[in-house]
Amino acid sequence: MSATAGSRSAPFVTGSTMRHVVVMTLTGAVGLMALFAVDLIDLFFLSMLNQTAVTAAIGYAGTVVFTNLSVAIGSGIAAAALVARNVGAGDMNRAREYATSALMLSLLISGAITLAINLGSGGFLALLGASGEAKRLAQLFIWTMTPGYILISGAICCSFILRGIGDARRAMYITLSAALVTACMDPIFIFGLGWGIQGAAAATVVGYAVSFGIGLHGVAKVHRFLNPMRLGGLKRDFPALWAIALPAILTQLATPFANAYMTHEIAPFGDEAVAGFAIVGRLIPVAFGIIFALAGSVGPIIGQNYGAKRHDRVRQTLNDGLIFSAVYTLATSAILFIFRHDIAEAFNAAGRTVDIVVFFCTFVGVSWAFTGAQFVAAAAFNNLGRPKLSTWFNWGKSTLGTIPFALVGAEIGGPEGILAGTAIGAAIFGIASVATAYRIVRKSAAGAVR
């Protein structure tokens, strides 16, 4: 293959790595922020009902729903890594085979997750501390969302496949469509039809269906990157996919685990405290969507350059990702601080709910620079053949970096202490993961990674 042809097939092996990081992250963030904006849109419209139990129910249900999203994102990371690696090596046929098998695997896993969520949602909500009307409404929301779990898993996988190919713009359209459709359907279903919280769930399912349709069109029709799905192909590709997908899924599940534990700790402080945490939980991925997008966006850049044996560009991509994360976090934290009271008012917050939202916007937002650093490090681990390190660091942060800090924080400062304590834990693990990533990159360049 000529150099020119190779450059066209693997766009990230030439040009400015910072430019690739910025373009991939911004387009990926728009799509990912749109995905999480669906939950924020639901919460915004439901807050207009002025019922604390409804807001608290979204907080409880969100932890369960986010579990499915985490699994879908983990499967997508495997798709992006293997597609990008083979595109970088110039083997487009093998990349296409991995894309097909990854989508099939994602749909099968999400089907199993859907069944488990439906059967176990009541018990899980009880473990979180949900009770009474808040628990009933949360379970109603979860059950209505059932068809959406599989649809959004397929959409996310298609998005990651497109990122692995290098089509960041079309990958963005997939999840952006979900937010736009949900924003249009929410007021119709919630207020027009009077369905309340069930209407918010139904609107989300419609958005997910549109999103999956756009994803399939981009992968199968535009790029012709989807072969007929066959169990034989999945069996052939499963070991390579699962070697990345399993640790990536376990890594992603660490976040809902930490959120579940924090919800459990906050629940004794009452529905107003849970409502405040629900608002914060939906504000975070929208405000810091670019941080969430870093792992999925930086990953294909690292993967293509690793496949092309451009180790100097791998290290530069890691540098650029960390710089980008730090600058963005500082700017966003300043905006949150300036508008902290306006944000609380936008969701009709009252009492302790206001205190928690304002505290987060004032003191805790800046800690996401360390979380962003860990996401960049995870991208390096996943694409340099060390995906288990992502799992260890994420679960370390979600256990050792969450539980003891949350317990001490709760004793000292209540719900605000929980938020502050877990932010300190995140900083410790963020620094440690970055140091490890640089060591892996050095070994990779020296040919020492086995």
Side-chain angles (χ1 to χ4, degrees):
M1 177 182 291
S2 69
T4 302
S7 296
R8 283 200 300 267
S9 299
F12 302 135
V13 301
T14 59
S16 167
T17 55
M18 176 59 89
R19 181 180 181 279
H20 290 319
V21 168
V22 172
V23 172
M24 283 289 287
T25 304
L26 289 180
T27 53
V30 170
L32 195 59
M33 287 166 71
L35 182 64
F36 289 117
V38 170
D39 289 336
L40 189 66
I41 290 166
D42 285 343
L43 184 61
F44 174 75
F45 282 113
L46 289 173
S47 69
M48 295 180 180
L49 298 174
N50 289 315
Q51 297 177 23
T52 301
V54 171
T55 307
I58 288 293
Y60 289 121
T63 302
V64 179
V65 173
F66 192 59
T67 300
N68 180 70
L69 288 178
S70 297
V71 172
I73 291 172
S75 299
I77 287 172
L82 289 171
V83 168
R85 193 178 301 169
N86 282 276
V87 168
D91 193 345
M92 300 300 287
N93 288 332
R94 196 72 185 98
R96 187 178 294 106
E97 289 173 347
Y98 275 125
T100 304
S101 297
L103 180 57
M104 190 174 179
L105 180 63
S106 180
L107 294 174
L108 290 173
I109 292 176
S110 63
I113 292 290
T114 298
L115 180 62
I117 287 177
N118 274 279
L119 293 176
S121 59
F124 188 65
L125 289 170
L127 285 175
L128 292 178
S131 61
E133 183 67 1
K135 180 182 178 182
R136 185 188 73 82
L137 291 172
Q139 196 155 26
L140 181 62
F141 183 87
I142 291 170
W143 284 342
T144 307
M145 278 280 291
T146 295
Y149 300 145
I150 298 175
L151 294 169
I152 194 58
S153 293
I156 289 172
C157 188
C158 288
S159 177
F160 274 96
I161 290 170
L162 289 172
R163 291 181 193 180
I165 297 171
D167 191 348
R169 177 175 57 85
R170 193 164 275 106
M172 174 185 69
Y173 292 158
I174 294 175
T175 46
L176 184 61
S177 63
L180 293 175
V181 172
T182 302
C184 293
M185 302 304 294
D186 257 344
I188 296 174
F189 286 0
I190 295 173
F191 305 111
L193 298 179
W195 290 356
I197 194 170
Q198 196 170 12
T204 301
V205 172
V206 174
Y208 286 170
V210 173
S211 180
F212 187 31
I214 292 175
L216 279 178
H217 179 268
V219 173
K221 298 296 183 182
V222 177
H223 288 278
R224 299 189 180 281
F225 224 75
L226 196 63
N227 295 331
M229 292 188 181
R230 296 189 175 91
L231 286 176
L234 177 59
K235 182 178 179 180
R236 177 198 63 219
D237 297 332
F238 181 81
L241 283 168
W242 197 240
I244 300 176
L246 179 59
I249 289 172
L250 292 175
T251 299
Q252 295 296 318
L253 284 176
T255 299
F257 172 83
N259 288 341
Y261 180 79
M262 291 174 68
T263 301
H264 175 76
E265 286 294 322
I266 289 175
F269 294 96
D271 278 354
E272 284 190 351
V274 175
F277 186 59
I279 293 173
V280 168
R282 276 139 190 84
L283 179 63
I284 285 173
V286 176
F288 296 103
I290 285 180
I291 301 302
F292 278 88
L294 274 172
S297 300
V298 173
I301 303 172
I302 292 177
Q304 286 192 9
N305 283 287
Y306 180 64
K309 303 187 185 304
R310 293 295 307 275
H311 299 293
D312 58 324
R313 291 176 62 82
V314 170
R315 181 182 178 84
Q316 188 58 49
T317 301
L318 183 60
N319 292 340
D320 293 342
L322 293 172
I323 293 171
F324 186 84
S325 171
V327 172
Y328 175 81
T329 302
L330 291 174
T332 302
S333 299
I335 294 172
L336 288 176
F337 175 75
I338 293 170
F339 295 102
R340 59 194 184 281
H341 295 291
D342 302 283
I343 292 170
E345 291 176 7
F347 291 95
N348 297 310
R352 294 291 287 131
T353 303
V354 175
D355 297 337
I356 293 170
V357 173
V358 170
F359 181 84
F360 172 81
C361 293
T362 303
F363 300 107
V364 182
V366 71
S367 69
W368 273 81
F370 298 101
T371 301
Q374 186 166 342
F375 284 161
V376 174
F381 299 148
N382 290 331
N383 287 272
L384 296 177
R386 304 294 293 271
K388 290 182 180 178
L389 285 174
S390 295
T391 304
W392 285 111
F393 274 109
N394 247 34
W395 276 98
K397 184 184 76 171
S398 297
T399 52
L400 297 176
T402 297
I403 296 174
F405 290 94
L407 287 171
V408 173
E411 286 292 324
I412 296 175
E416 291 90 343
I418 294 173
L419 292 176
T422 52
I424 294 172
I428 294 172
F429 278 87
I431 294 170
S433 65
V434 168
T436 304
Y438 275 111
R439 181 172 60 84
I440 296 300
V441 169
R442 285 196 299 272
K443 285 187 175 182
S444 175
V449 173
R450 295 178 174 83

